[in-house]
């Protein structure tokens, strides 16, 4: 546990990231910045809307930095513990702010989550991390506001109302669905979001309102985005290095953890080791993306920062690598191109199943990663891209299948 | 209703853990306190070593965190093959335990 001064210092150290984002925006000199940012805020935001491609690196960085600061301010005001889930939430939402999330489509969900706590007479602090990560459903709000073709005021009104409703119900729904995969799917809120988006999409289709899946992805390198990624990862190495901790690095404690919920690495292995683990995961992924000749676009940024965040809450090299190996094996088996952002994102997000490798061993981890690739490419159409954490939904289904198969096999022995 | 399920989930998980060791009988009592609840587990002729008990208590005495409890409590009772106890460690305020004459005594306290 950290004391209040240390907590303040740690919060302050996180401000580096949005400041770096703002610096990149200034250096980029985008004369259309405000125009582009207005377009970003009023876009339908359905999966896959790469903000870097659609609105430029500056608007995307500005959006992600603003969302990061908004969430950080919210957590700081509410005195949220800086635990593993804190980092997972903060960085996942940061990453997806390059690919669909923005303040307009997040705030109604936050308001709904707050009203849920008022209704149940519980502290907002106790649910805010889940409410924030529930931004997975933000495309529903944007699509109602700007995508389905409703009259402007009516669309905004419906969008806010539905967003508040989704924020209100996401906590109990997500809690209930934890048992579906017993905590073996780290992106449980993505699984929950998938179910809700599926229901919503079905209802809207019945009412003759169809959300159309899009695929706007930046397929060239942007120097400011590249610089931002590598500087932010290096900064995370620096943060780990400069922390003075009596036991230095506690890798054994970290690797002994299966990663299954709740695996809070901050508590298990300390801040120093956890930060190093986060930085290593992000670096590994970034190098992998570049080494296969792919580009760091909005979707890749979401993958990199989600993995960085979950490096504090369930993912480490020992339980993640077997999943990646399985996913890479399946991609090779199916002949999927590695330079494709979609193939890569499926591989990188397959680490949502890391607890299976951590708990049942590398063999089952490889099987899980392999299976994930067969499922994830097909499920997005179920909800027309209205759930951003597509891999969380697929991961929930795969985890359900694999862990039950393991139980069946073990019982038969 | 959720409060009752949370309380029973803690007992469920502790029984799951204790059932992994040899014993002749397990007594459980659940006692309401003015501001919470207390569990008292007694395992007769248990096979737990002092080291295993210390590990168990270390997991149980992780700080209580509402951020985890509010969302993850349905996983309480899901401990299967390891002694992770990661969920109920976040749901209780205090755990004490000792071994005396082949009897294991465990006291868990949870504030409202």
């Amino acid at each position: 546990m950290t004391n209040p001064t240390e907590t303040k210092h740690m919060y302050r150290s996180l401000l580096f990231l949005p400041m770096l984002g703002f610096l990149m925006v200034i250096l980029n000199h985008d004369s259309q910045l405000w125009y582009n940012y207005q377009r970003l805020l009023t876009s339908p935001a359905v999966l896959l809307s790469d903000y870097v491609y659609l609105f430029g690196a500056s608007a995307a960085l500005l959006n992600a930095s603003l969302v990061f600061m908004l969430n950080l301010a919210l957590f700081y005001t509410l005195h949220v513990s800086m635990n593993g889930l804190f980092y997972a939430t903060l960085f996942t939402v940061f990453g997806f702010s390059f690919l669909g999330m923005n303040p307009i489509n997040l705030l109604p969900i936050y308001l709904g989550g707050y009203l849920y706590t008022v209704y149940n007479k519980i502290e907002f602090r106790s649910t805010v991390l889940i409410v924030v990560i529930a931004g997975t459903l933000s495309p529903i709000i944007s699509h109602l506001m700007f995508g389905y073709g409703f009259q402007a005021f009516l669309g905004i009104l419906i969008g806010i109302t539905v967003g508040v409703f989704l924020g209100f119900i996401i906590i109990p729904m997500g809690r209930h669905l934890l048992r579906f995969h017993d905590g073996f799917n780290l992106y449980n809120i993505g699984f929950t979001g998938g179910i809700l988006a599926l229901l919503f999409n079905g209802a809207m289709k019945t009412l003759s309102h169809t959300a159309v899946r899009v695929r706007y992805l930046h397929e060239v390198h942007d120097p400011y985005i590249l610089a931002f990624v590598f500087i932010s990862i290096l900064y995370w190495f620096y943060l780990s290095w400069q922390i003075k901790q009596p036991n230095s690095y506690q890798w054994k404690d970290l690797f002994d953890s299966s990663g299954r919920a709740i695996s809070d690495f901050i508590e298990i292995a300390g801040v120093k080791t956890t930060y190093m683990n986060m930085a290593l995961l992000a670096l590994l992924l970034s190098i992998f993306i570049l080494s296969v000749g792919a580009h760091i676009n909005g979707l890749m940024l979401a993958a990199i920062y989600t993995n960085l965040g979950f490096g504090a809450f369930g993912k480490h090299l020992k339980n993640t690598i077997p999943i990646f190996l399985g996913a890479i094996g399946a991609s090779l088996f199916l002949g999927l191109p590695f330079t494709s952002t979609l193939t890569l994102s499926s591989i990188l997000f397959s680490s949502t199943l890391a607890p299976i490798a951590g708990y049942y061993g590398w063999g089952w981890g490889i099987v899980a990663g392999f299976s994930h690739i067969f499922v994830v490419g097909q499920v997005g159409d179920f909800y027309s891209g209205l759930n951003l954490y597509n891999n969380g939904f697929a991961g929930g289904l795969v985890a359900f299948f694999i862990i039950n198969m393991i139980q069946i096999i073990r019982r038969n022995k | 209703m959720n409060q009752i399920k949370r309380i029973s989930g803690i007992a469920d998980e502790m029984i799951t853990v204790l059932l992994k060791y040899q014993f002749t009988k397990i007594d459980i009592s659940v006692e309401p306190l003015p501001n919470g609840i207390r569990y008292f587990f007694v395992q007769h002729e248990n096979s737990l070593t002092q080291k295993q008990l210390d590990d168990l208590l270390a997991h149980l005495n992780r700080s209580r965190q509402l951020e985890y409890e509010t969302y993850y409590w349905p996983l309480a009772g899901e401990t299967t093959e390891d002694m992770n106890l990661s969920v109920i460690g976040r749901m209780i305020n205090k755990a004490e335990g000792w071994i005396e004459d082949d009897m294991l005594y465990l006291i868990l306290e949870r504030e409202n």
Side-chain angles (χ1 to χ4, degrees):
Chain A
M1 284 285 103
T2 51
N3 64 43
T5 315
E6 282 174 330
T7 303
K8 210 170 183 175
H9 176 72
M10 285 171 74
Y11 264 101
R12 211 178 293 146
S13 69
L14 293 175
L15 284 173
F16 177 83
L17 220 64
M19 292 304 148
L20 180 65
F22 293 140
L23 178 67
M24 292 296 160
V25 171
I26 293 166
L27 291 175
N28 202 7
H29 293 300
D30 182 355
S31 58
Q32 300 282 301
L33 176 63
W34 296 115
Y35 170 68
N36 283 336
Y37 193 51
Q38 280 171 28
R39 284 174 54 228
L40 183 155
L41 292 174
T42 54
S43 68
V46 74
L47 205 65
L48 296 154
S49 298
D50 177 358
Y51 284 169
V52 182
Y53 174 80
L54 289 169
F55 312 109
S58 291
L61 280 165
L62 177 67
N63 181 60
S65 301
L66 285 173
V67 168
F68 190 95
M69 287 195 69
L70 169 75
N71 289 333
L72 199 63
L74 183 65
F75 298 159
Y76 184 75
T77 309
L78 294 169
H79 302 289
V80 174
S81 309
M82 296 183 81
N83 54 33
L85 185 59
F86 169 93
Y87 290 98
T89 298
L90 193 65
F91 282 98
T92 300
V93 175
F94 175 69
F96 276 89
S97 295
F98 291 96
L99 189 85
M101 294 185 190
N102 62 57
I104 299 276
N105 61 25
L106 287 172
L107 287 173
I109 298 176
Y110 294 5
L111 178 61
Y114 172 72
L115 292 175
Y116 171 80
T117 59
V118 171
Y119 183 73
N120 285 286
K121 298 187 177 75
I122 53 177
E123 289 179 64
F124 188 37
R125 180 174 71 91
S126 67
T127 61
V128 70
L129 292 174
I130 303 297
V131 169
V132 168
I133 208 168
T136 184
L137 290 169
S138 56
I140 290 182
I141 294 133
S142 281
H143 221 69
L144 282 166
M145 289 177 169
F146 314 112
Y148 282 118
F150 294 121
Q151 204 184 7
F153 178 74
L154 182 68
I156 290 170
L157 191 68
I158 297 173
I160 292 172
T161 309
V162 171
V164 170
F165 174 71
L166 291 171
F168 193 91
I169 63 171
I170 195 87
I171 297 283
M173 299 268 179
R175 200 162 51 201
H176 186 81
L177 288 172
L178 275 168
R179 296 294 292 266
F180 187 79
H181 51 75
D182 288 343
F184 283 99
N185 174 33
L186 288 174
Y187 311 154
N188 179 60
I189 215 73
F191 182 60
T192 313
I195 303 262
L196 292 174
L198 203 152
L199 293 169
F200 173 83
N201 194 41
M204 289 303 283
K205 274 184 171 174
T206 307
L207 295 169
S208 304
H209 292 290
T210 306
V212 181
R213 284 199 76 183
V214 294
R215 189 184 293 184
Y216 298 118
L217 291 166
H218 203 56
E219 298 292 1
V220 287
H221 285 303
D222 184 285
Y224 293 98
I225 294 287
L226 273 176
F228 179 83
V229 168
F230 282 97
I231 293 172
S232 65
I233 294 172
L234 286 176
Y235 178 68
W236 221 252
F237 277 111
Y238 164 74
L239 280 183
S240 169
W241 171 77
Q242 57 90 41
I243 290 168
K244 293 191 175 31
Q245 197 172 285
N247 297 334
S248 193
Y249 291 108
Q250 299 172 45
W251 291 112
K252 190 180 180 312
D253 292 337
L254 186 84
F255 291 147
D256 280 351
S257 169
S258 70
R260 186 182 172 195
I262 306 168
S263 292
D264 184 341
F265 292 162
I266 298 283
E267 201 171 73
I268 292 168
V271 181
K272 190 178 180 73
T273 313
T274 304
Y275 275 18
M276 183 58 80
N277 183 55
M278 295 162 79
L280 282 171
L281 277 171
L283 185 67
L284 177 79
L285 264 59
S286 305
I287 291 173
F288 180 65
I289 294 165
L290 295 178
S291 66
V292 296
H295 302 97
I296 295 187
N297 52 29
L299 183 54
M300 292 296 97
L301 288 165
I304 291 167
Y305 287 107
T306 299
N307 276 283
L308 187 143
F310 275 89
F313 193 68
K315 294 184 190 177
H316 50 65
L317 293 176
K318 193 178 158 192
N319 66 5
T320 302
I321 286 174
I323 304 288
F324 285 157
L325 289 177
I328 290 169
S331 303
L332 288 170
F333 176 75
L334 295 169
L336 301 173
F338 272 100
T339 48
S340 155
T341 301
L342 292 179
T343 307
L344 274 177
S345 72
S346 302
I347 294 169
L348 304 184
F349 281 116
S350 65
S351 53
T352 183
L353 298 167
I356 294 180
Y359 199 85
Y360 292 111
W362 272 52
W364 283 114
I366 291 170
V367 171
F370 195 90
S371 311
H372 183 77
I373 298 298
F374 282 81
V375 179
V376 70
Q378 308 305 322
V379 295
D381 288 335
F382 292 177
Y383 35 73
S384 304
L386 290 169
N387 173 39
L388 287 178
Y389 308 157
N390 196 37
N391 285 268
F393 183 68
L397 299 174
V398 173
F400 162 79
F401 178 73
I402 299 279
I403 57 172
N404 279 289
M405 283 302 296
I406 294 171
Q407 296 306 323
I408 291 165
I409 290 167
R410 290 196 171 180
R411 242 178 245 139
N412 286 344
K413 275 184 179 174
Chain B
M1 190 60 190
N2 278 352
Q3 282 299 328
I4 293 171
K5 285 193 171 179
R6 286 187 209 192
I7 290 166
S8 65
I10 293 169
D12 182 5
E13 181 127 337
M14 282 313 302
I15 294 166
T16 308
V17 169
L18 294 176
L19 285 173
K20 289 177 196 161
Y21 300 92
Q22 288 178 6
F23 62 95
T24 52
K25 191 167 80 162
I26 297 175
D27 296 324
I28 306 157
S29 69
V30 182
E31 175 190 353
L33 300 173
N35 187 32
I37 199 136
R38 179 188 288 144
Y39 304 81
F40 192 40
F41 299 87
V42 183
Q43 192 177 34
H44 299 252
E45 296 182 38
N46 88 95
S47 64
L48 219 74
T49 64
Q50 187 60 45
K51 167 82 174 62
Q52 285 170 321
L53 175 62
D54 291 343
D55 286 346
L56 181 68
L57 290 172
H59 284 298
L60 289 171
N61 277 313
R62 283 177 178 163
S63 57
R64 187 172 176 191
Q65 289 195 34
L66 284 175
E67 291 95 331
Y68 286 134
E69 180 184 329
T70 312
Y71 187 68
Y72 286 100
W73 68 262
L75 291 178
E78 283 301 312
T79 291
T80 48
E81 293 182 16
D82 60 358
M83 282 179 54
N84 197 3
L85 295 168
S86 60
V87 181
I88 67 165
R90 274 48 180 255
M91 295 173 67
I92 60 169
N93 295 78
K94 199 169 94 177
E96 289 175 15
W98 64 95
I99 297 169
E100 198 176 298
D101 300 332
D102 281 348
M103 305 270 275
L104 168 71
Y105 299 90
L106 265 177
I107 298 173
L108 272 54
E109 283 184 11
R110 171 185 156 85
E111 291 171 13
N112 288 335

